[in-house]
Amino acid sequence: MQKSIFKVLALFVGVFTYAQTNITGNVSDTSGVPVLGANVVIEGTTEGTTTDFDGNFTLTTSKTGTQTLVFSFIGFETKKVSVDMTNANNLKVVLAESGQQLDEVVITASSTFRSQKQAPLSISSKKMAEITKLSANSQADILRDVPGITAEGGGGETATNLFVRGLPSGGQYVFNPLQYDGMPLMSTFGLNSSAHDVYARPDIGFKGVEFVRGGAAVLYGAGSVAGIINYTSKTGDTNPGNIINMEYGTRGRLKTDFYSGGKLGEENSNTFYALTGFIRKDDGPIDTGLPTKGAQLRGNIKKKFDKGSFTISGQFINDNAQFYLPLPLAGGSRERLAGNDGEDVEQLLSGDLANTSFLTPGGVYNSPIEDGVSTQGGYVMGDFNYFLTEDLKFTSKIKYANYKHNFALYVGGSGNPIALNEYIANVAPGNQGFFAIYQGGGDTQINGGDLVVENLHVDRLRPMTDYSGEANLILKSKDRKHTFTLGTFLSRTEAEDVNYQYRVLSEFNNNPRLVNLSYTDATGTDVTYATGGLYDRIGMTANRFLSQNRTAVYLTDEMVLDRWRFDVGVRVENTKGTFQNGGLQDFQVYEDASLTTALNTIRFADGSFTTAEIDATDWAVSLAGLYELTEATNLYANFSRGFFFPQQRGFVPTPGIRETNYNAESIIQFEAGAKFGTAKFSGSLAGYYVGLSDRIRIDQAISNGELVDQARTEQNTSTIGLEATWKYRFTDALSFSGTATYQDHEITKNIQQNLVTGESTTVNEGNELQRQPNFLGSAGLNYDDRKFDANFTLNHTGAKFTSDINDIELDAITLARIGAGYTFALENENSVRLGCSVFNLFDSQGLTEGNPRAGIAGQAENEFFVGRPVLPRRLFLTATFNF
């Protein structure tokens, strides 16, 4: 009997084994890069699998004969392959990238892989190949075609001003952190007000950038109420190969980027490397006599194992970038003024200021003005992913960053051009004669009719150290309908905000020469008014040391229910911080009786400190849903209640009071819209509302020759807007794309406290927000047949007010950009692309801003108008080698 049973079992096993077929193969993209997570399904069945880290798959089935395998993955066109089950091993499948913009994968503000079309919130993305072709001057060039974003890049490569969906700010990245690989470059903004982009620069080692706005962006990781800008780095497993990009730009730009990635070790190694960076020197786009120059190096090493991976990455930067601020223009026409040499004046920073120094009670102060926006340092980060079970995943990121950072700039518009004779009459009425020469220019007297101008120079010394980390447990339900995430984010940021200021007298020209001036006053006394070009050695104007901790916990659920998708989540966060404000005192340092008091006296730290502490807790919630109406159309809506912790630097300590009345700002957002995607057309249309309460803002102004905090404003605002995006493919190579935004924004509450007088008044209620237009848009034609490529784009920024007073309006700006390239195929699948592009093709002279330091009274427009024009036209030539 037992023998009979064993025979039957053996026969059953044999039949079962015979009936099973193993289908094996590999899935890659058109560049040969493995596609991780691609779906492999037998058509008409539920039998399927997914590809592993190397794009490999094994599918066991009882099917026989000829079957059709369906290969699909977000961002790629679905492919069907007929397979004979008797010969189903070592299949090689290549997926082509989808032409639909909305098919691109989203990895920001989510715990699952999904396409833009499947996400119930607004998302924009751009691949690195597009950014490289741009030869971008700044983050503004990269982001200005994102709907709902006002991007100002008139200052040069760094400190781009971004305004998002009518949220009030002075610019920079107040409401939307800049992230690299899911971690912020600086986890706390507002300790010293330096923009996130001063700490790093984009390079060709990125896959691309995503901008996620609203919705779940408020929940994950560092969180953000307005949106997250996230750059994702290439790794050696997904982006093997080598790239060198060489760039030449008019006005003295030379830059070389490189990338190299691949395996470390033997053929079967699971360790991969990626190394990238750049080195560049630039005399433009506006010549100051002080070049932009520097280098950056980034890299990562990734180790993959059966159930996960570990990646360690890092950055080193040593870079100096010149920064351009507003300058005097002609009143009325707002055109550039002619200098003494007859040339239009583009800026007033002087190369002669290099190596400027003066004595202080603490020793010799050497100004870093020649370095502009200077950053030295870097970060190191670890990224760990591990499947504890098939359904439970643990992810963690930790990061340490340390930067020595200076932001040295001239505050253009702190003086207007005036003839030297008239200037002397103003500063020394009744003088008996004067002597003025150019610094280093011999003893030749300056012509009394030549124009001179005063300028304030500010050196902001802002070293920063940042410790941050996040950890997540991600659980998929057995039915695969829910993805739960329980996470935490922790950080500590320490920063200094030490400022020095001094005032300079120069000629009114590009890269102006400094003026040394002395005179005999009405009493016959000889007076040295300006020496070394300085007429006021102000000294130290801020001596602040700040630290801030953040602790957050969040819980989310991403649901997929037939045709419905839902995102829900909640976040609770606490912040604690300390603000030490150093006392300052004027000291007489120089003993020369001929010097003015402004040259003899230097302000410096007196050794005293006043300390304040902050402590606040707030919560956020996000609810979002998406319905797949048809195969081509999805409808979605999201609501979020978020918070923003105000900039701590705005809460200056009060002597004798250690605890500060510090509370979070509340932000309500709602959005509803539709996303469309067909083979020919993809796009989106959405309406939104953004309401902000209890906003704290610090207004700066030049007072008595110095840049000071003038007013503290408590503000509520509301914005209603409409956004649209589109991309239409005429052919596989030719497409037309664009964006359009209309926003109606209003100040609904505005209580302003004068920090000098202490008076509080209600002002500007019902007005529009400063520096934010009602209409934004972009449109572009793009052609790319993988050999020849060309593009033409227009970016339009509508008219906007210079301040909340709404008394002066800046005209609309339209910037045109054109580019083209040709890719030559070389042996062994290598290639070289030769390209060219022109920024600001029609050389627009539009203004990105007025004078943001005019103070609470606003700026005037009489003989002169202070404003910052867009950067001038510039030609770029590139050569990109792939090997």
Side-chain angles (χ1 to χ4, degrees), residues 180-191:
Y180 278 13
D181 298 314
M183 291 294 282
L185 288 172
M186 178 173 59
S187 60
T188 301
F189 181 80
L191 299 188

Side-chain angles (χ1 to χ4, degrees), residues 15 56 147 168 230 324 334 383 406 495 594 634 708 744 828 856:
V15 172
N56 297 323
N230 185 34
Y324 316 112
R334 300 176 185 173
D383 185 352
N406 303 324
S594 70
N634 291 346
V708 298
D744 182 13
N828 299 323
I856 56 179

Side-chain angles (χ1 to χ4, degrees), residues 27-180:
V27 179
S28 63
D29 65 13
T30 53
S31 300
V33 177
V35 178
L36 163 67
N39 297 308
V40 185
V41 178
I42 299 176
E43 188 174 42
T45 76
T46 58
E47 297 182 44
T49 186
T50 58
T51 56
D52 64 15
F53 285 106
D54 298 310
N56 297 323
F57 69 91
T58 299
L59 173 57
T60 302
T61 180
S62 59
K63 298 290 183 182
T64 59
T66 299
Q67 300 292 330
T68 299
L69 297 184
V70 181
F71 297 85
S72 63
F73 189 64
I74 297 168
F76 293 87
E77 294 179 357
T78 298
K79 186 170 187 175
K80 295 183 179 182
V81 178
S82 294
V83 178
D84 184 350
M85 292 294 104
T86 62
N87 185 22
N89 292 322
N90 300 319
L91 302 177
K92 300 295 183 184
V93 179
V94 178
L95 297 183
E97 290 187 8
S98 170
Q100 289 190 31
Q101 192 173 19
L102 293 179
D103 274 342
E104 294 178 3
V105 180
V106 180
I107 63 171
T108 305
S110 175
S111 292
T112 60
F113 285 101
R114 55 187 180 181
S115 69
Q116 293 186 27
K117 188 178 176 183
Q118 295 169 336
L121 67 168
S122 292
I123 301 167
S124 300
S125 63
K126 188 169 291 186
K127 296 179 181 179
M128 202 63 221
E130 300 174 62
I131 298 172
T132 301
K133 292 175 184 178
L134 273 177
S135 297
N137 289 297
S138 67
Q139 289 285 348
D141 286 358
I142 298 171
L143 300 172
R144 63 165 42 99
D145 60 356
V146 175
I149 302 298
T150 305
E152 297 177 353
E157 283 195 19
T158 60
T160 290
N161 289 320
L162 291 183
F163 305 87
V164 183
R165 286 185 168 180
L167 285 169
S169 81
Q172 301 184 340
Y173 298 80
V174 175
F175 290 106
N176 41 279
L178 181 60
Q179 296 188 349
Y180 278 13

Side-chain angles (χ1 to χ4, degrees), residues 719-745:
T719 302
I720 297 175
L722 188 67
E723 293 177 355
T725 69
W726 67 86
K727 182 176 183 179
Y728 183 80
R729 300 178 69 86
F730 298 101
T731 67
D732 287 342
L734 180 63
S735 64
F736 172 64
S737 60
T739 66
T741 301
Y742 175 80
Q743 52 187 11
D744 182 13
H745 41 77

Side-chain angles (χ1 to χ4, degrees), residues 642-866:
F643 58 88
F644 176 78
F645 290 122
Q647 300 180 50
Q648 192 182 346
R649 64 185 294 271
F651 292 79
V652 179
T654 301
I657 302 176
R658 193 174 183 91
E659 293 185 6
T660 300
N661 184 21
Y662 179 90
N663 296 297
E665 303 166 7
S666 174
I667 299 179
I668 300 293
Q669 297 186 82
F670 174 76
E671 177 183 5
K675 300 184 180 185
F676 315 95
T678 66
K680 286 286 187 181
F681 175 80
S682 62
S684 63
L685 179 66
Y688 63 86
Y689 165 81
V690 180
L692 177 146
S693 301
D694 304 320
R695 169 73 172 153
I696 301 297
R697 194 183 77 196
I698 302 299
D699 293 304
Q700 291 190 317
I702 297 174
S703 177
N704 296 322
E706 298 180 28
L707 185 63
V708 298
D709 292 343
Q710 187 184 45
R712 184 177 186 270
T713 302
E714 185 177 328
Q715 193 175 67
N716 293 358
T717 66
S718 68
T719 302
I720 297 175
L722 188 67
E723 293 177 355
T725 69
W726 67 86
K727 182 176 183 179
Y728 183 80
R729 300 178 69 86
F730 298 101
T731 67
D732 287 342
L734 180 63
S735 64
F736 172 64
S737 60
T739 66
T741 301
Y742 175 80
Q743 52 187 11
D744 182 13
H745 41 77
E746 180 185 2
I747 301 170
T748 57
K749 171 187 172 183
N750 205 72
I751 301 175
Q752 190 176 81
Q753 180 189 19
N754 189 309
L755 295 177
V756 178
T757 65
E759 269 185 50
S760 293
T761 54
T762 298
V763 296
N764 304 328
E765 289 186 1
N767 288 357
E768 292 188 5
L769 291 164
Q770 64 176 345
R771 299 171 69 175
Q772 301 204 45
N774 295 121
F775 180 76
L776 295 157
S778 67
L781 274 173
N782 185 77
Y783 181 86
D784 190 346
D785 63 9
R786 297 188 181 276
K787 287 187 177 181
F788 175 73
D789 62 85
N791 62 82
F792 175 75
T793 59
L794 294 172
N795 291 103
H796 178 80
T797 302
K800 56 188 178 181
F801 290 108
T802 60
S803 74
D804 289 344
I805 301 173
N806 287 189
D807 56 342
I808 294 179
E809 189 175 45
L810 299 180
D811 294 334
I813 304 172
T814 300
L815 292 178
R817 187 156 202 157
I818 192 170
Y822 190 86
T823 300
F824 298 88
L826 307 176
E827 61 182 15
N828 299 323
E829 299 185 355
N830 298 332
S831 66
V832 58
R833 177 187 180 273
L834 301 180
C836 65
S837 66
V838 180
F839 168 77
N840 195 0
L841 179 63
F842 304 120
D843 205 19
S844 167
Q845 301 293 309
L847 303 183
T848 63
E849 64 179 62
N851 184 2
R853 296 163 188 84
I856 56 179
Q859 71 180 107
E861 183 166 16
N862 299 310
E863 181 182 359
F864 301 104
F865 179 80
V866 175

